[in-house]
């Protein structure tokens, strides 16, 4: 399409809507004006003008057609409604200041609410994208949700064989696969699953076939299923991929299926390919105490969650009786999948819903205040209507039509704001929010916005309509524009008190979250984060099947990294703090054995290279560090952190104690040679967990993925490219992922609270501005209402200070009442954000005082303008106005 031609879609719209006798004339006139504008404006401006005129013409035509239809049908109600609508549009057009302010206020309230709904709907409200999603449950081991744990394979095998409530069950674990042989190597997130995994979810491949029982056996065929996105991105969407061989981790896999584009893998959204687990009970890691598998199941159509839970609890009790040393306590949990997926984000989202609801209420109260003020100014008009025979119901209907028209305009603006707001929410949202790909302004969002707009329009219009429609003919007809009836003052003052209370509640929540984030980021993680760069390196391929080859690769990688200019020190670790790494093992004490080893403590395990403590700057509190002498053939040694030492050996010296990691019977006894400081592994808000550090070369088997930590002398970010090249000089086929500075990881660990804080800050500022506008509006009305009184006071000797004090006292009095109510409301409402607070209570006195002071200062500024105006009233002019 040429840029100097009218928009084809706008032309087509007019051609469809305009009657034949008007089409040629209207289109010809618009195209002629378009050509004239092209000579004076840019093509883009002229095209925007044409679109606007096309929309206006369409709306006008639709309105004219509706009125013609109502007239021809003889329906007096429809004719009357159209007349009310025309009158409402004319009034709003003739009062641009009032209309723009009210529409903008509503657009902010409706837009914010619609944007938040677009996030809430797919996460908390919409059904999961599976057939009969209510029948899908998660399976966990444990007596309660707080103490739940993953399943062992043998435990799941008992559930699969003995339970009668499930149509299908499956377990799965994460799988990191390196795709090689096609361009550069790429590390892919995937899953190892048992063969009924997709059957539980009610999904099937769009191409090829699902896993069969014969695929899921020990030493079974190496087959894989691709996600639709991976199939299109790396294989060009070629249907011939089925049956071909692709290399993952250096081994050939036959592709047997491709999942549909609409398939959502909610239990692990990052997974892009799947392979069968191929466990059996002879494998040492397929035991009951190996809690590394997650379970899901699909209930039979005749079973309920409660029935399944009761059956599994009975089965768990039988397992404990049969295997007393494999279970610390009885208990298997059956949790609906939706509840399980959203349990972590539900408190955050509900707190945000409450915050945006406060903003919407404040916006509605503000517009209601504006309508009350306008209603007071129009008392003469309403009295005249009543004198001419208009019923109270007729006046109320007219006013409700005006408020709904106002709401529709605000709703349209709100939808435009919501479109941008949704994009911002997706960018700001923490990674733990599920179904982010489904967040957007869809049809359901528009229906919600329409329903909300209608409800809001009726809601904020009812009180002004009933108030303005009261019959007082004599007073209404006598009323002049300089003397606003005082009857609306009480209602408007009450609304301002409510606005102040709601705004203060929201601001207190914002203040508490701000303090929480500050205190959280002030927590020492147990190491120095500055000038520290991290990246994960993974080995893959047949050449690294032997542990010796893997150990050699990482040794050469570390030496290459240390040789990079600008590197002060470098080391490798199997777990990186604050990175979602989670690797725990049971710890068994030689000096204090237990009858049931499952009751022994567990701890995070770090397989490290010499220099790790120095690179991370984790303090060594007692004993010695791991060094170059701790080789594979040397006596097994281990470091423990301070918390572990105090809890396990409260009255004994931990140095020289011996522990065993993992199996209580297999593996070497490791001698504790040092005690180190505590670090935060999961989040800064949780207490540092127990931790043990052991030489990487002394672990039972080589870790296939280790994280390189590098400390530089300045900003480490520029070193990333050189470090990649150094690692690839050892082996160019190994992928490097998760490149980040430690400061970025610390910031990301507080992402959930930051997300809530940003939204609360935005809502708080809006609430503060709207509350201040409400105070200003009421006092401006008071000054107009008491215009003559203020003039008389001035004539009798009242000073400017007296008048300013009188007006400001009235405004600050309303603010004080609202603040008192807001404090009480905040004390009750902050329970919604207690889970997001850290190091501070929901009733922190200092936060309440500071926030109340800020609100009072803003309210004082809002009071000062009308008070200053009142002090400038000329007594002679006020008396002449009567």
């Amino acid at each position: 399409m040429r840029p100097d031609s009218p928009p084809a879609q706008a032309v087509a719209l007019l051609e469809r809507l305009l009657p034949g006798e008007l089409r040629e004339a209207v289109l010809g006139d618009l195209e002629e004006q378009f050509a004239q504008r092209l000579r004076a404006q840019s093509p883009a401006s002229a095209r925007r003008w044409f679109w606007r005129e096309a929309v206006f013409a369409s709306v006008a035509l639709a309105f004219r057609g509706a009125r013609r239809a109502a007239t021809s049908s003889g329906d007096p109600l429809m004719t009357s409604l159209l007349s009310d609508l025309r009158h409402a549009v004319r009034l709003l057009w003739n009062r641009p200041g009032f209309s723009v302010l009210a529409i903008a206020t509503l657009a902010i309230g409706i837009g914010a609410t619609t944007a938040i709904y677009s996030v809430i709907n797919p996460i908390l409200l919409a059904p999961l994208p599976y057939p009969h999603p209510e029948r899908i449950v998660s399976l966990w081991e444990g007596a309660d949700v707080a103490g739940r744990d993953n399943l062992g394979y043998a435990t799941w095998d008992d559930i699969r064989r003995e339970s009668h409530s499930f149509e299908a069950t499956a377990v799965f674990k994460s799988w990191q696969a390196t795709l090689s042989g096609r361009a550069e190597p790429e590390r892919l997130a995937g899953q190892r699953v048992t063969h009924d995994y997709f059957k539980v979810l009610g999904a099937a491949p769009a191409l090829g076939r699902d896993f069969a029982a014969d695929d899921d056996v020990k030493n079974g065929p190496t087959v894989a299923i691709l996600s639709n996105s991976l199939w299109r991105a790396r294989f060009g969407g070629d249907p011939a991929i089925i049956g071909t061989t692709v290399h993952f981790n250096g081994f050939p896999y036959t592709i047997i299926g491709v999942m549909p584009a609409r398939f959502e893998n909610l239990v692990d959204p990052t997974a892009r390919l799947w392979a069968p687990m191929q466990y059996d009970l002879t494998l040492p890691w397929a035991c009951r105490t190996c809690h590394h598998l997650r379970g899901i199941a699909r209930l039979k159509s005749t079973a309920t969650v409660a029935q399944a839970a009761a059956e599994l609890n009975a089965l768990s009790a039988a397992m404990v009786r049969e295997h007393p040393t494999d279970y610390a306590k009885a208990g298997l949990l059956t949790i609906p999948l939706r509840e399980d997926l959203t349990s972590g984000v539900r408190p955050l989202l509900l707190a945000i819903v409450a915050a945006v609801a406060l903003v919407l209420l404040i916006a509605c109260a503000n517009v209601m205040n504006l309508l009350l003020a306008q209603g007071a100014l129009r008392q003469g008009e309403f009295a005249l209507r009543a004198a001419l025979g208009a019923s109270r119901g007729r006046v109320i209907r007219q006013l409700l039509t005006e408020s709904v028209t106002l709401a529709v305009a605000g709703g349209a603006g709100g939808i435009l704001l919501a479109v941008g707001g949704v994009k911002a929410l997706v960018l700001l949202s923490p990674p733990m929010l599920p179904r982010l790909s489904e967040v957007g302004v869809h049809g359901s969002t528009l229906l919600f916005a329409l329903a909300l707009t209608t409800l809001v329009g009726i809601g904020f219009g009812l009180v002004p309509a009933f108030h303005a429609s009261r019959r007082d003919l004599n007073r209404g007809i006598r009323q002049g524009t300089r003397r606003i009836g005082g009857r609306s003052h009480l209602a408007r003052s009450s609304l301002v008190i409510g606005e102040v209370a709601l705004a203060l509640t929201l601001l207190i929540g914002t203040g508490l979250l701000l303090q929480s984030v500050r205190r959280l980021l002030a927590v020492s993680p147990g190491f120095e984060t500055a000038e520290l760069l991290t990246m994960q390196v993974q080995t893959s391929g047949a050449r690294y099947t032997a542990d010796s080859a893997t150990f050699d690769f990482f040794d050469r990688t570390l030496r290459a990294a240390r040789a990079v200019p600008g590197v002060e020190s470098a080391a490798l670790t199997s777990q990186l703090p604050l990175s979602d790494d989670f690797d725990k093992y049971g710890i068994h004490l030689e000096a204090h054995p237990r009858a049931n080893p499952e009751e022994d403590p567990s701890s995070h395990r770090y397989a490290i290279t010499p220099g790790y403590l120095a690179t991370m700057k984790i303090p060594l509190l007692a004993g010695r560090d791991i060094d170059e002498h701790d080789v594979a053939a040397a006596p097994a040694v281990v470091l423990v952190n301070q918390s572990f030492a105090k809890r396990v050996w409260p009255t004994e010296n931990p140095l020289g104690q011996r522990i065993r990691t993992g199996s209580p019977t297999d593996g070497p006894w490791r001698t504790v040679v040092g005690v180190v400081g505590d670090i935060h592994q999961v989040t800064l808000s949780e207490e540092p967990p127990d931790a043990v550090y052991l030489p990487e070369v002394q672990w039972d088997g080589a870790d296939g993925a280790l994280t390189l930590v590098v400390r530089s002398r300045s900003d480490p970010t520029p070193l990333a490219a050189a470090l990649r090249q150094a690692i690839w000089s050892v082996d160019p086929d190994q992928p490097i992922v998760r490149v980040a500075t430690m400061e970025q990881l610390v910031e990301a660990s507080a992402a959930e609270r930051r997300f809530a804080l940003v939204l609360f800050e935005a809502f708080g500022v809006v609430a503060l501005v709207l509350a201040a506008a409400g105070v200003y509006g009421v006092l401006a009305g008071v000054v107009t209402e008491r215009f003559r009184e203020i003039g008389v006071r001035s004539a009798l000797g009242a000073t400017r200070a007296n008048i300013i004090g009188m007006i400001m006292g009235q405004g600050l009095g309303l603010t004080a009442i609202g603040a008192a109510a807001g404090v009480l409301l905040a004390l009750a409402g902050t329970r919604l954000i207690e889970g997001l607070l850290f190091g501070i209570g929901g009733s922190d006195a200092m936060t309440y005082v500071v926030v109340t002071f800020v609100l009072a200062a803003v309210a004082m500024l809002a009071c000062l303008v009308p008070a200053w105006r009142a002090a400038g009233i000329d007594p002679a002019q006020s008396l002449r106005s009567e």
Side-chain angles (χ1 to χ4, degrees):
M1 182 192 306
R2 292 173 54 191
D4 57 350
S5 62
Q9 291 177 319
V11 173
L13 175 67
L14 291 173
E15 288 178 342
R16 286 198 304 270
L17 293 177
L18 290 173
E21 63 273 12
L22 289 177
R23 185 181 304 136
E24 187 173 339
V26 172
L27 274 174
D29 182 57
L30 287 178
E31 289 175 348
E32 181 180 346
Q33 292 184 53
F34 176 79
Q36 294 173 358
R37 287 180 176 270
L38 273 179
R39 291 190 286 270
Q41 300 176 356
S42 67
S45 298
R47 289 167 65 81
R48 283 196 298 270
W49 172 86
F50 193 95
W51 257 117
R52 187 166 59 249
E53 291 301 315
V55 171
F56 284 163
S58 302
V59 172
L61 187 66
F63 184 79
R64 190 180 305 138
R67 192 172 74 176
R68 187 183 300 116
T71 303
S72 62
S73 67
D75 186 350
L77 178 60
M78 182 60 68
T79 304
S80 178
L81 285 174
L82 289 173
S83 176
D84 289 346
L85 180 60
R86 186 173 65 254
H87 181 67
V89 171
R90 187 185 303 121
L91 279 175
L92 295 179
W93 185 264
N94 292 332
R95 293 180 290 173
F98 161 79
S99 300
V100 169
L101 181 59
I103 290 171
T105 301
L106 288 173
I108 291 172
I110 294 174
T113 307
T114 302
I116 295 301
Y117 171 82
S118 70
V119 176
I120 299 295
N121 182 47
I123 298 175
L124 297 183
L125 303 178
L128 300 182
Y130 306 121
H132 303 289
E134 71 284 354
R135 290 165 49 190
I136 306 176
V137 297
S138 294
L139 303 176
W140 299 89
E141 187 173 320
D144 52 54
V145 174
R148 68 182 181 179
D149 201 354
N150 291 334
L151 296 175
Y153 183 83
T155 300
W156 168 77
D157 191 61
D158 281 356
I159 294 173
R160 177 184 63 83
R161 289 183 295 101
E162 302 295 335
S163 67
H164 303 287
S165 299
F166 302 119
E167 186 177 292
T169 66
V171 286
F172 59 92
K173 65 175 182 176
S174 297
W175 176 40
Q176 301 298 326
T178 300
L179 173 63
S180 57
R182 292 172 178 262
E184 65 181 41
E186 180 181 1
R187 182 180 174 185
L188 304 171
Q191 289 177 288
R192 290 280 190 178
V193 300
T194 51
H195 68 277
D196 273 346
Y197 178 78
F198 292 116
K199 184 178 179 181
V200 171
L201 297 178
L207 292 177
R209 66 173 179 87
D210 196 353
F211 295 125
D214 292 342
D215 299 321
D216 191 21
V217 295
K218 183 180 177 181
N219 299 323
T222 53
V223 295
I225 293 176
L226 306 178
S227 69
N228 199 274
S229 61
L230 177 61
W231 173 56
R232 293 183 183 279
R234 292 304 301 263
F235 303 100
D238 183 5
I241 190 69
I242 303 299
T244 62
T245 299
V246 175
H247 285 78
F248 296 119
N249 293 337
F251 296 96
Y253 282 75
T254 302
I255 305 302
I256 63 170
V258 175
M259 296 304 294
R262 65 181 182 278
F263 172 68
E264 293 184 60
N265 190 46
L266 297 182
V267 295
D268 186 357
T270 63
R272 303 176 69 190
L273 72 157
W274 297 266
M277 187 169 290
Q278 298 184 341
Y279 278 16
D280 71 10
L281 296 176
T282 66
L283 295 170
W285 51 84
C287 61
R288 297 180 184 276
T289 58
C290 305
H291 302 285
H292 66 288
L293 302 176
R294 287 185 57 190
I296 54 174
R298 176 174 284 273
L299 292 166
K300 292 180 179 178
S301 58
T302 55
T304 66
V305 174
Q307 289 171 346
E311 182 187 40
L312 290 191
N313 282 329
L315 179 59
S316 174
M319 291 180 191
V320 173
R321 288 192 300 270
E322 188 174 350
H323 308 280
T325 62
D326 290 332
Y327 297 97
K329 60 179 71 174
L332 288 169
L333 297 174
T334 306
I335 305 174
L337 184 60
R338 171 200 279 284
E339 180 182 327
D340 198 24
L341 293 175
T342 60
S343 59
V345 301
R346 185 179 295 272
L348 167 66
L349 295 179
L350 291 181
I352 293 172
V353 168
V356 79
L358 293 181
V359 172
L360 182 61
L361 287 174
I362 294 171
C364 290
N366 214 293
V367 175
M368 194 182 299
N369 236 328
L370 291 173
L371 289 176
L372 282 169
Q374 289 295 317
L377 287 170
R378 295 170 63 190
Q379 282 298 313
E381 172 196 337
F382 299 143
L384 184 60
R385 281 173 174 261
L388 294 176
S391 65
R392 187 181 185 189
R394 182 67 181 81
V395 174
I396 289 174
R397 194 179 73 195
Q398 171 63 52
L399 293 175
L400 283 179
T401 303
E402 293 175 16
S403 66
V404 171
T405 303
L406 199 63
V408 168
I415 290 173
L416 294 178
L417 289 178
V419 172
V422 166
K423 294 179 180 178
L425 286 173
V426 171
L427 289 175
L428 292 171
S429 61
M432 30 77 78
L433 280 183
R435 304 197 72 186
L436 273 181
S437 61
E438 294 300 307
V439 172
V441 180
H442 306 303
S444 62
T445 310
L446 296 177
L447 288 176
F448 171 81
L450 177 62
L452 181 64
T453 297
T454 304
L455 183 63
V456 163
I458 295 174
F460 73 69
L462 276 175
V463 173
F466 278 100
H467 194 277
S469 63
R470 292 176 181 173
R471 291 179 177 274
D472 191 351
L473 302 186
N474 292 329
R475 185 175 180 179
I477 293 175
R478 289 199 311 268
Q479 184 176 320
T481 59
R482 280 288 189 180
R483 294 187 62 208
I484 301 175
R487 294 179 304 178
S488 67
H489 180 64
L490 179 61
R492 298 185 64 200
S493 298
S494 300
L495 286 171
V496 167
I497 291 171
E499 286 184 59
V500 171
L502 295 175
L504 185 63
T505 302
L506 193 50
L507 288 170
I508 287 174
T510 304
L512 292 172
L513 284 172
L514 179 61
Q515 292 280 44
S516 294
V517 171
R518 285 179 176 174
R519 296 187 184 194
L520 182 66
L521 295 179
V523 171
S524 171
F527 52 88
E528 291 190 18
T529 61
E531 299 169 350
L532 198 60
L533 182 69
T534 71
M535 55 183 64
Q536 190 178 73
V537 186
Q538 181 184 13
T539 57
S540 62
R543 78 188 86 167
Y544 296 109
T545 302
D547 287 346
S548 58
T550 302
F551 286 136
D552 179 66
F553 167 77
F554 282 120
D555 179 63
R556 290 188 293 139
T557 293
L558 186 56
R559 283 190 274 114
R562 286 172 173 169
V564 172
V567 172
E568 184 177 298
S569 63
L572 291 163
T573 177
S574 60
Q575 270 200 104
L576 185 67
L578 305 177
S579 66
D580 292 331
D581 286 341
F582 192 88
D583 189 21
K584 293 184 74 173
Y585 284 83
I587 305 296
H588 311 287
L589 313 178
E590 182 184 42
H592 305 284
R594 301 189 187 213
N596 183 1
E598 271 293 283
E599 296 177 356
D600 282 341
S602 61
S603 169
H604 283 267
R605 178 214 56 133
Y606 298 82
I608 62 173
T609 59
Y612 176 73
L613 295 184
T615 302
M616 295 289 288
K617 296 192 177 180
I618 299 173
L620 179 67
L621 304 179
R624 71 171 179 88
D625 194 359
I626 290 170
D627 58 32
E628 287 77 6
H629 299 95
D630 298 312
V631 295
V637 297
V638 68
L639 308 175
V640 298
N641 70 336
Q642 187 178 29
S643 294
F644 183 86
K646 286 183 176 180
R647 189 167 64 83
V648 176
W649 300 291
T651 60
E652 302 173 67
N653 184 1
L655 298 180
Q657 300 283 350
R658 297 211 306 172
I659 64 174
R660 180 176 276 155
T661 55
S663 170
T665 56
D666 298 328
W669 287 106
R670 304 177 188 274
T671 303
V672 177
V673 297
V675 178
V676 304
D678 293 338
I679 67 167
H680 291 266
Q681 172 61 34
V682 183
T683 67
L684 292 175
S685 60
E686 296 183 13
E687 290 297 318
D690 292 345
V692 297
Y693 301 80
L694 47 90
E696 180 233 351
V697 294
Q698 289 187 353
W699 184 237
D700 301 342
D703 287 278
L706 294 178
T707 297
L708 175 69
V709 291
V710 172
R711 185 167 293 280
S712 66
R713 299 179 180 88
S714 58
D715 178 17
T717 306
L719 291 176
L723 287 167
R724 281 193 181 95
Q725 293 305 316
I727 295 169
W728 283 333
S729 70
V730 177
D731 187 340
D733 292 331
Q734 304 314 310
I736 300 169
V737 295
R738 290 190 355 186
V739 179
T741 66
M742 187 54 72
E743 289 178 329
Q744 290 171 334
L745 295 178
V746 171
E747 291 283 328
S749 70
E752 178 182 353
R753 289 176 172 84
R754 282 189 176 278
F755 179 64
L757 176 60
V758 168
L759 293 182
F760 269 71
E761 284 178 334
F763 296 157
V765 169
V766 171
L768 185 61
V769 170
L770 292 179
V775 173
Y776 169 82
V778 165
L779 291 187
V782 166
V783 171
T784 304
E785 179 185 346
R786 301 174 67 181
F787 184 77
R788 184 174 183 275
E789 174 196 340
I790 294 170
V792 171
R793 286 176 179 269
S794 297
L796 294 177
T799 64
R800 290 177 64 90
N802 295 143
I803 295 173
I804 289 174
M806 177 184 69
I807 300 300
M808 291 195 67
Q810 188 170 352
L812 293 178
L814 295 177
T815 303
I817 298 172
V823 167
L824 296 176
L825 189 59
L827 287 171
T830 49
R831 296 177 183 176
L832 283 173
I833 61 170
E834 281 182 346
L836 300 173
L837 301 182
F838 174 78
I840 191 171
S843 57
D844 180 69
M846 183 57 69
T847 301
Y848 279 64
V849 170
V850 171
V851 170
T852 303
F853 177 79
V854 171
L855 178 65
V858 173
M860 186 176 294
L861 291 175
C863 296
L864 187 59
V865 176
W868 193 265
R869 174 171 161 256
I873 291 177
D874 181 6
Q877 181 184 358
S878 68
L879 294 173
R880 283 197 304 269
S881 67
E882 292 297 314

